[in-house]
């Protein structure tokens, strides 16, 4: 059995940060420090970790970031006011509102309120529409980071069958668009599977590139894959393990079970996660550059 190659998001993200150094330097020489405002509503522990990891990277790179923590009870009107203030604050080139939001808040309304030129998550319908039209502004960070992993390891999707498990606006939907674009290092034939897909396993088995973004721990095992497939595992799931911390992180793929069958795979942690953060930094640097005119 051939060994399964590990696609390291840590390695690829380091290359991204190196490539950003001169751009950040140029901005600082122009008295612009790329700035991110991260808004988090409520106490979702996973969201808190994600936001902390994002802002920690901004600090490490000596970029500006601020986390705006709002209690679960925050009203939609108060949240909207905060976003409008951030839209008008020149210190912040990028704004992200961590998802999910509490149920009493209309997510679409909040996303629509983010200034399109500060929407570094790429979730605003204008930015998703631009991506769909082949004229992207900000590309959602996780799918953008996945394309960079494929590029780095020279896994060209052209002519391949890419199967995306999950149809969220954050990952699955934009992922399928990026993979099927008519341009270099894209041109895949793309299938999106979701909770209502009939015989998801049979479709997944056809994949040359399998993107698992369902949020179900270790859902994809050896029975879902064909030999040599490239697997991108987007899942970051907490499962109880009786350890001191109380849980461990696992992906949507049963990592051990696919070893020796898959051609390559992104690990969890250390795969897609670091790339999401790197693309957020890159999008924020781009937003800061755009602010220079
Ligand atoms: N929730 C899960 N992933 C993301 C992300 O990339 N950005 C935001 N804002 N929320 C998320």
């Amino acid at each position: 059995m051939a060994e399964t190659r590990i696609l390291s998001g840590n390695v690829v993200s380091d290359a991204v940060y190196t490539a950003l150094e001169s751009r950040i330097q140029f901005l600082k020489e122009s008295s612009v420090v790329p700035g991110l405002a991260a808004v988090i509503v409520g106490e979702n522990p996973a969201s808190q970790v994600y936001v902390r990891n994002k802002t920690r990277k901004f600090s490490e790179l000596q970029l500006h970031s601020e986390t705006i923590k709002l209690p679960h009870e925050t009203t939609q009107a108060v949240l909207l006011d905060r976003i409008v203030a951030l839209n008008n604050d020149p210190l912040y080139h990028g704004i992200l509102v961590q998802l999910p939001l509490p149920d009493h808040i209309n997510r679409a309304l909040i996303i629509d309120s983010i200034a399109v030129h500060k929407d570094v998550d790429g979730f605003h319908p204008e930015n998703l529409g631009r991506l769909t039209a082949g004229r992207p502004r900000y590309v959602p960070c996780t799918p953008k980071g996945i394309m960079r992993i494929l590029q780095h390891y020279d896994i060209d999707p052209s002519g391949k069958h890419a199967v995306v498990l999950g149809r969220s606006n954050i990952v699955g939907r934009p992922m399928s668009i990026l993979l099927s674009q008519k341009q270099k290092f894209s041109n895949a034939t793309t299938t999106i599977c979701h909770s209502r897909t009939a015989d998801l396993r049979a479709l997944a088995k056809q994949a040359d590139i399998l993107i698992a973004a369902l949020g179900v721990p270790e859902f994809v095992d050896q029975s879902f894959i064909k030999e040599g497939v490239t697997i991108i595992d987007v899942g970051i799931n907490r499962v109880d393990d009786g350890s001191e911390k109380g849980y461990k992180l696992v992906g949507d793929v049963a990592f051990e079970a696919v070893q020796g069958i898959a051609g390559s795979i992104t690990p969890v942690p250390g795969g897609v996660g670091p790339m999401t953060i790197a693309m957020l930094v890159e999008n924020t640097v781009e937003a800061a550059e755009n602010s220079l005119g």
Side-chain angles (χ1 to χ4, degrees), residues 47 50 54 96-100 121 123 141-142 170-171 276:
S47 289
Y50 297 152
K54 289 171 185 174
L96 82 80
V97 177
Q98 188 65 27
L99 301 175
D121 259 334
F123 295 165
C141 302
T142 300
I170 298 177
V171 184
T276 298

Side-chain angles (χ1 to χ4, degrees), residues 8-251:
S8 167
N10 290 325
V11 168
V12 186
S13 62
D14 279 347
V16 171
Y17 295 124
T18 301
L20 284 174
E21 271 169 19
S22 60
R23 291 169 67 182
I24 293 170
Q25 189 61 29
F26 179 82
L27 283 163
K28 288 188 175 170
E29 281 161 12
S30 314
S31 303
V32 175
V33 179
L36 173 78
V39 181
I40 178 164
V41 186
E43 283 80 42
N44 181 320
S47 289
Q48 288 180 346
V49 173
Y50 297 152
V51 169
R52 203 178 318 131
N53 289 343
K54 289 171 185 174
T55 54
R56 187 190 295 144
K57 185 48 85 172
F58 274 73
S59 304
E60 257 176 61
L61 298 169
Q62 294 176 308
L63 305 178
H64 181 56
S65 76
E66 187 173 331
T67 305
I68 294 126
K69 285 189 180 168
L70 301 171
H72 179 89
E73 311 72 56
T74 304
T75 64
Q76 186 169 285
V78 165
L79 178 56
L80 271 177
D81 279 352
R82 291 302 290 263
I83 292 170
V84 170
L86 294 169
N87 284 342
N88 294 317
D89 188 336
L91 268 184
Y92 302 111
H93 306 95
I95 300 169
L96 82 80
V97 177
Q98 188 65 27
L99 301 175
L101 286 166
D103 288 345
H104 65 274
I105 294 174
N106 180 334
R107 168 180 159 166
L109 195 105
I110 296 302
I111 289 175
D112 289 3
S113 74
I114 299 171
V116 289
H117 59 282
K118 293 194 177 188
D119 171 38
V120 285
D121 259 334
F123 295 165
H124 191 285
E126 181 177 319
N127 287 325
L128 282 175
R130 290 188 69 111
L131 175 65
T132 309
R135 298 159 51 205
R137 185 187 280 124
Y138 301 117
V139 176
C141 302
T142 300
K144 185 181 185 188
I146 291 169
M147 295 307 284
R148 291 293 176 84
I149 292 176
L150 295 176
Q151 273 165 26
H152 182 95
Y153 288 99
D154 206 24
I155 300 166
D156 188 346
S158 182
K160 302 222 172 81
H161 186 191
V163 176
V164 181
L165 308 181
R167 58 180 156 182
S168 73
N169 281 348
I170 298 177
V171 184
R173 186 109 25 216
M175 187 76 255
S176 70
I177 292 163
L178 285 171
L179 284 163
S180 61
Q181 289 173 118
K182 189 174 178 176
Q183 67 173 53
K184 206 164 171 275
F185 236 89
S186 182
N187 287 311
T189 303
T190 309
T191 301
I192 305 190
C193 298
H194 46 76
S195 52
R196 301 289 177 94
T197 297
D199 210 353
L200 183 148
R201 185 183 270 102
L203 286 163
K205 245 187 142 109
Q206 292 177 22
D208 303 307
I209 298 173
L210 183 64
I211 316 278
L214 292 160
V216 182
E218 301 184 319
F219 178 85
V220 173
D221 64 15
Q222 65 276 22
S223 69
F224 285 78
I225 61 168
K226 77 173 175 197
E227 208 178 322
V229 61
T230 296
I231 303 181
I232 304 290
D233 190 350
V234 184
I236 305 176
N237 308 290
R238 291 178 174 206
V239 295
D240 297 343
D241 70 344
S243 68
E244 204 175 310
K245 203 157 76 170
Y247 66 88
K248 62 172 180 170
L249 292 180
V250 301

